[in-house]
Amino acid sequence: MKRIKITIAYDGTKFCGWQIQPGVRTVQNELEKAISRITGAPVRVYGSGRTDSGVHALGQVVHFTLPESRAEVPWQRALNAIMPDDVTVLDVAYVDESFHAQFSSIRKTYVYTLWLENKFLFPCRRNYVWGCGPLDIDALDTAMKYFLGEHDFASFQNVGTPVKNTIRTILEFVRLPGENEHEIKLQVCGTGFLKQMVRNMVGCLVDIGRGKAEPGFVRSVLEAKDRTLAPATAPPQGLCLSHVYYGEPKSGGPESGRNESRIDGTD
Amino acid sequence: MKRIKITIAYDGTKFCGWQIQPGVRTVQNELEKAISRITGAPVRVYGSGRTDSGVHALGQVVHFTLPESRAEVPWQRALNAIMPDDVTVLDVAYVDESFHAQFSSIRKTYVYTLWLENKFLFPCRRNYVWGCGPLDIDALDTAMKYFLGEHDFASFQNVGTPVKNTIRTILEFVRLPGENEHEIKLQVCGTGFLKQMVRNMVGCLVDIGRGKAEPGFVRSVLEAKDRTLAPATAPPQGLCLSHVYYGEPKSGGPESGRNESRIDGTD
């Protein structure tokens, strides 16, 4: 058997998220359909994590496994020729069978784009930003720092599907310039994210940026460990899964990279 | 009567261009419908020029005239509240009745975005770029300069609807960085443009960038004054009407600005 790792980008606007669900259009389904069409046999693909309906990706990582006889295909060209134009293969690699798109990942980076003008929103940006209006940028910068490090993120997980272990580590949370003068980007890198955690963190930051709370509010919400205390979830279209990182096997042994991982396969 | 000048942006993807046509969705029609809904009476709006189906705008200028009693409306807020999200009002001004969005304009700037990678195209950029693949950038830079100045652009006008006076002046043609490492932007400013002239110039430049012709080919095509000799028209989705300029009345009299205009109301 041969394992294939592909890196893909997609525009989440017209997808009901990553994961296969009956009766709706999902990225996983489009990908499996295209691979099956090429090989002539059903296939299962595994993503680094799910993304919600409307969430975009510029570096989602996926793996699948095929018999040697079917694996030697110019995958990038073949898939991009038949897939719809809202999903594309950026890169392909043959990897060791121990590689798993979800379980081998050690870090992920998401970028959330905010539109700060409230009188208008450029139409060409409407599917890629949250038009939240003016924010106090200094307050935002201060508040982001409270997320850094290891915390119990119980207050920032999705209400519907709580997980047991809600401790995660945020390695980076920075503000970057946007694609025009009306936007800013918030880039967050962590060892793993609970379901809707990024959108919940951004929802909280925007409340602070709007002056509804002080930057220290982040700490209070983290300490409360109660989702009902946190502000509303930011809308999906501002979010983009930017990069998934995989570790080199370390001197501590081939498993050490994997132990760093706390990915739940969610966004 | 009161004349109102509005600056609008639109995503051309789902519009059949600017101009009202029966049975299809156009920007002019959406705007007239929205204004009429606010004032309760039919209205005609005049744009600085038409844009084709799929062409975008970040600075289209439009004017319309209303009886004083109906003109005092918070236009930006009112229109943006009821118009679809692929068109937005960026700015509003009450202007002198001598102002005309088309005939008073003295210069226009268009930006055309090229995607230079041929193995993939970011899905979120698919409606805003021409995925032309790799180009010789030096050749492109050299070729652009041949368009500068006053020329007969007969070779670069649309085949179907030729106009008599095909002499136009290009004031600027420069390459700018794109929104990511796979894109470049070509910005062209001129006193006026023939129908599809920008897309025809870009089609010619891309042929040169692909090595199908030398940069001096631009001069040969200009001199031939024959549309059939020029390369194919670039696709619409890479094009954006960026800015329309209006002159201050000059010392030579209020008409002098207007005399500079050679806008045909086309793109």
Side-chain angles (χ1 to χ4, degrees), chain A residues 77-110:
Chain A
R77 191 147 38 91
L79 286 170
N80 286 345
I82 63 173
M83 282 199 301
D85 65 1
D86 51 356
V87 51
T88 195
V89 175
L90 302 175
D91 190 49
V92 178
Y94 291 98
V95 289
D96 192 86
E97 273 199 64
S98 67
F99 175 86
H100 190 290
Q102 180 182 343
F103 302 125
S104 306
S105 87
I106 56 167
R107 295 196 305 280
K108 270 184 182 173
T109 298
Y110 284 93

Side-chain angles (χ1 to χ4, degrees), chain B residues 212-233:
Chain B
K212 290 188 188 174
E214 294 296 314
F217 179 59
V218 168
R219 190 166 46 199
S220 320
V221 178
L222 281 168
E223 283 169 1
K225 295 168 200 172
D226 179 357
R227 173 68 197 126
T228 61
L229 293 182
T233 308

Side-chain angles (χ1 to χ4, degrees), chain A residues 50-228:
Chain A
R50 299 187 286 274
T51 52
D52 283 339
S53 190
V55 172
H56 314 289
L58 272 176
Q60 169 71 293
V61 176
V62 179
H63 84 262
F64 55 101
T65 312
L66 294 175
E68 299 271 352
S69 61
R70 286 186 169 134
E72 294 288 349
V73 168
W75 285 107
Q76 185 172 39
R77 191 147 38 91
L79 286 170
N80 286 345
I82 63 173
M83 282 199 301
D85 65 1
D86 51 356
V87 51
T88 195
V89 175
L90 302 175
D91 190 49
V92 178
Y94 291 98
V95 289
D96 192 86
E97 273 199 64
S98 67
F99 175 86
H100 190 290
Q102 180 182 343
F103 302 125
S104 306
S105 87
I106 56 167
R107 295 196 305 280
K108 270 184 182 173
T109 298
Y110 284 93
V111 173
Y112 197 100
T113 307
L114 297 169
W115 178 271
L116 306 181
E117 169 61 58
N118 59 5
K119 290 186 181 156
F120 57 81
L121 197 161
F122 288 170
C124 59
R125 299 295 295 154
R126 72 195 186 283
N127 295 325
Y128 310 105
V129 301
W130 174 16
C132 62
L135 298 178
D136 178 338
I137 301 294
D138 289 340
L140 211 65
D141 287 345
T142 306
M144 280 190 287
K145 297 199 183 95
Y146 285 101
F147 283 115
L148 293 176
E150 186 178 88
H151 299 285
D152 186 333
F153 282 90
S155 294
F156 292 93
Q157 73 178 319
N158 189 41
V159 184
T161 51
V163 298
K164 264 186 183 163
N165 182 354
T166 50
I167 293 174
R168 297 291 182 277
T169 300
I170 299 298
L171 302 162
E172 182 193 55
F173 212 142
V174 291
R175 176 170 55 85
L176 302 174
E179 291 180 13
N180 56 64
E181 70 272 29
H182 307 295
E183 295 178 12
I184 56 169
K185 288 180 186 287
L186 306 182
Q187 178 172 291
V188 57
C189 178
T191 55
F193 295 91
L194 300 164
K195 190 156 169 55
Q196 295 191 340
M197 182 170 139
V198 179
R199 290 166 56 193
N200 288 331
M201 291 192 291
V202 171
C204 184
L205 289 171
V206 165
D207 258 19
I208 292 163
R210 285 170 171 167
K212 290 189 188 173
E214 294 297 313
F217 179 59
V218 169
R219 190 165 48 198
S220 318
V221 179
L222 281 168
E223 283 168 1
K225 296 168 200 173
D226 179 356
R227 173 69 197 126
T228 63

Side-chain angles (χ1 to χ4, degrees), chain B residues 1-132:
Chain B
M1 301 297 278
K2 205 147 188 177
R3 187 153 293 189
I4 299 146
K5 172 196 177 196
I6 62 175
T7 306
I8 63 172
Y10 46 87
D11 181 327
T13 311
K14 292 177 182 168
F15 284 111
C16 291
W18 161 261
Q19 197 177 25
I20 283 194
Q21 296 171 67
V24 296
R25 188 169 181 267
T26 71
V27 182
Q28 189 186 9
N29 189 234
E30 288 296 332
L31 211 47
E32 292 188 354
K33 268 199 307 189
I35 297 165
S36 298
R37 214 177 117 190
I38 291 165
T39 63
V43 70
R44 170 93 326 167
V45 305
Y46 299 87
S48 75
R50 298 187 286 275
T51 52
D52 284 338
S53 190
V55 172
H56 314 289
L58 272 176
Q60 169 73 292
V61 175
V62 179
H63 83 261
F64 56 100
T65 311
L66 293 175
E68 299 271 353
S69 61
R70 284 187 172 135
E72 293 288 349
V73 167
W75 286 108
Q76 185 172 37
R77 192 146 38 90
L79 286 169
N80 285 346
I82 63 173
M83 281 198 301
D85 65 2
D86 51 357
V87 51
T88 195
V89 175
L90 302 174
D91 191 48
V92 178
Y94 292 98
V95 289
D96 192 85
E97 274 197 63
S98 67
F99 175 87
H100 191 289
Q102 181 182 343
F103 303 125
S104 306
S105 87
I106 56 166
R107 293 196 305 280
K108 269 185 183 174
T109 298
Y110 284 94
V111 173
Y112 197 101
T113 307
L114 297 170
W115 178 270
L116 307 181
E117 169 61 57
N118 60 3
K119 290 186 180 156
F120 58 80
L121 197 161
F122 288 170
C124 59
R125 299 295 295 153
R126 71 194 185 284
N127 296 324
Y128 310 106
V129 301
W130 175 16
C132 62

